[in-house]
Amino acid sequence: MKVNRKIENKIIERLNPGKVVILIGARRVGKTFLTKEIVQKLNLKTLYLNAEDFTVQELLKTRTVKNYKNIIGKNELLVIDEAQVIPEIGKILKLMVDEIEGIKILVTGSSAFDLSNKTGEPLTGRKTEFFLFPFSEEEYAEKETRIEQVSNLESRLIYGGYPELMHIEDNEEKIEYLRDLVNSYLLKDIIAFEGIRNSDKIFKLLSLIAHQVGSEVSYEEIGKQLGISKNTVDKYLDLLTKNYILFKLTGFSRNLRKEITKKPKWYFYDNGIRNAIISNFKPISNRNDIGELWESYVISELIKKQSNERKIVNNYFWRTYDQQEIDLIVEEGDKLNAFEIKFNKEKVKVPGGWINNYQESEFNVINKNNYLDYLM
């Protein structure tokens, strides 16, 4: 079953001469497959380069307009896959879009290497970035009925939404795939980045975060547990963020004295990765962390939706010193949306401290009975 990606048409719309489209995402989320789908739809004469091929790296080393014109020839579209491995890729792309008339350029990169920074300043005003995540509920909806989506919910909470899992029916094979994905791709990339030596520390850090999903995290405490400085903890978390394994929420505040903002909360973009880190693939009925799984799942799905729709928003949690809290605050311009995330349907009152200070905001409760209304 082929699932169409929500950003596909938006990428096609932005593929114009004089601009570079950059597609960023973790390994195995489907960047190469999506790129080939776009190439097929456009039906343009295309040059496809895999930057991890040493020959391609050598070809692009000579930074002259003549060299690049010879390489591109009469092709109308240039695709460079895993472009982050090419030194000074930003300057190379700038020279191409500025000097080679009519060429359309699409590049992909694993965000562990922060391709957006590698292309940074040289492409100011000349690039459009898109982010590709594991499958979202909006994308599944094109192939599944609402009843099928609900029936598949437990599987997604346990195994996540990486594309290749759709072709694996056996749960043991899914577990093997996720473990291999963590060890052979995601963590390997991060460890290789800047020659990080303490690979065991990265894994232990991920395990600690996995057990603190939805809770405020102290870098000092984690540093003590791992025997590293809080600055090193911050550096490792930054790399995990750039690889789209983790994301963080900071505390929302309009400078009210009772609001807590110092410690962030951390979540996994994909529950399958989180469960592989802690080696727990038990069914929901046998777990005591369903609240954490559900909260991480819903918030990550909302973030996918925001990104796919290219919305400019800020996401936070809200908490006060007298223990009033809300799981997610979405700030879009002057508008505030508050979301409390509960797996089971239950009555939830709006915290008095919130409603008294943010009367114009909306308050919603997302549970397993209504979640598709918010994620679709």
Side-chain angles (χ1 to χ4, degrees), residues 280-331:
N280 186 353
F281 291 97
K282 293 178 183 177
I284 287 174
S285 57
N286 293 338
R287 299 183 75 115
N288 59 8
D289 61 350
I290 182 58
E292 290 90 337
L293 286 175
W294 181 244
E295 190 173 326
S296 198
Y297 167 77
V298 170
I299 295 176
S300 65
E301 282 293 318
L302 289 170
I303 287 174
K304 291 176 194 176
K305 190 173 189 295
Q306 293 164 358
S307 179
N308 289 340
E309 295 175 0
R310 301 188 70 74
K311 286 189 174 183
I312 300 173
V313 300
N314 295 311
N315 296 303
Y316 307 93
F317 68 91
W318 180 79
R319 186 165 176 251
T320 66
Y321 286 102
D322 56 1
Q323 305 303 309
Q324 297 183 70
E325 57 185 304
I326 299 175
D327 295 324
L328 177 66
I329 306 297
V330 179
E331 181 183 44

Side-chain angles (χ1 to χ4, degrees), residues 202-217:
I202 288 278
F203 196 89
K204 287 176 182 175
L205 171 60
L206 273 171
S207 182
L208 288 173
I209 294 296
H211 288 291
Q212 295 183 54
V213 163
S215 300
E216 292 164 70
V217 172

Side-chain angles (χ1 to χ4, degrees), residues 106-147:
L106 171 61
V107 301
T108 78
S110 300
S111 46
F113 297 92
D114 203 12
L115 179 60
S116 57
N117 278 356
K118 282 181 176 283
T119 58
E121 286 186 21
L123 289 177
T124 300
R126 298 175 179 85
K127 65 175 180 176
T128 303
E129 291 182 0
F130 291 88
F131 300 96
L132 192 65
F133 300 93
F135 285 146
S136 69
E137 286 293 352
E138 282 191 302
E139 289 167 333
Y140 284 123
E142 292 191 12
K143 299 295 180 181
E144 297 178 352
T145 65
R146 198 175 179 95
I147 292 172

Side-chain angles (χ1 to χ4, degrees), residues 184-337:
S184 300
Y185 290 97
L186 304 183
L187 294 185
K188 187 178 178 182
D189 279 351
I190 294 166
I191 290 162
F193 188 80
E194 292 187 351
I196 287 176
R197 297 173 188 173
N198 298 322
S199 58
D200 61 319
K201 303 288 187 186
I202 288 278
F203 196 89
K204 287 176 182 175
L205 171 60
L206 273 171
S207 182
L208 288 173
I209 294 296
H211 288 291
Q212 295 183 54
V213 163
S215 300
E216 292 164 70
V217 172
S218 166
Y219 295 0
E220 291 88 349
E221 289 177 14
I222 285 181
K224 285 177 184 177
Q225 288 178 274
L226 296 177
I228 57 179
S229 70
K230 70 172 185 177
N231 289 337
T232 302
V233 172
D234 188 37
K235 175 186 176 182
Y236 288 175
L237 287 172
D238 183 56
L239 290 177
L240 291 163
T241 301
K242 288 172 180 173
N243 196 40
Y244 282 80
I245 295 176
L246 298 176
F247 65 93
K248 72 175 177 180
L249 296 184
T250 54
F252 177 83
S253 177
R254 293 277 171 87
N255 295 317
L256 300 177
R257 289 166 65 184
K258 291 184 177 181
E259 292 174 325
I260 296 173
T261 60
K262 288 183 180 179
K263 296 177 184 176
K265 292 185 178 184
W266 286 89
Y267 297 88
F268 284 75
Y269 276 107
D270 188 82
N271 275 345
I273 299 300
R274 186 255 184 183
N275 289 331
I277 294 292
I278 62 174
S279 296
N280 186 353
F281 291 97
K282 293 178 183 177
I284 287 174
S285 57
N286 293 338
R287 299 183 75 115
N288 59 8
D289 61 350
I290 182 58
E292 290 90 337
L293 286 175
W294 181 244
E295 190 173 326
S296 198
Y297 167 77
V298 170
I299 295 176
S300 65
E301 282 293 318
L302 289 170
I303 287 174
K304 291 176 194 176
K305 190 173 189 295
Q306 293 164 358
S307 179
N308 289 340
E309 295 175 0
R310 301 188 70 74
K311 286 189 174 183
I312 300 173
V313 300
N314 295 311
N315 296 303
Y316 307 93
F317 68 91
W318 180 79
R319 186 165 176 251
T320 66
Y321 286 102
D322 56 1
Q323 305 303 309
Q324 297 183 70
E325 57 185 304
I326 299 175
D327 295 324
L328 177 66
I329 306 297
V330 179
E331 181 183 44
E332 186 173 3
D334 295 329
K335 188 178 179 182
L336 290 176
N337 278 315

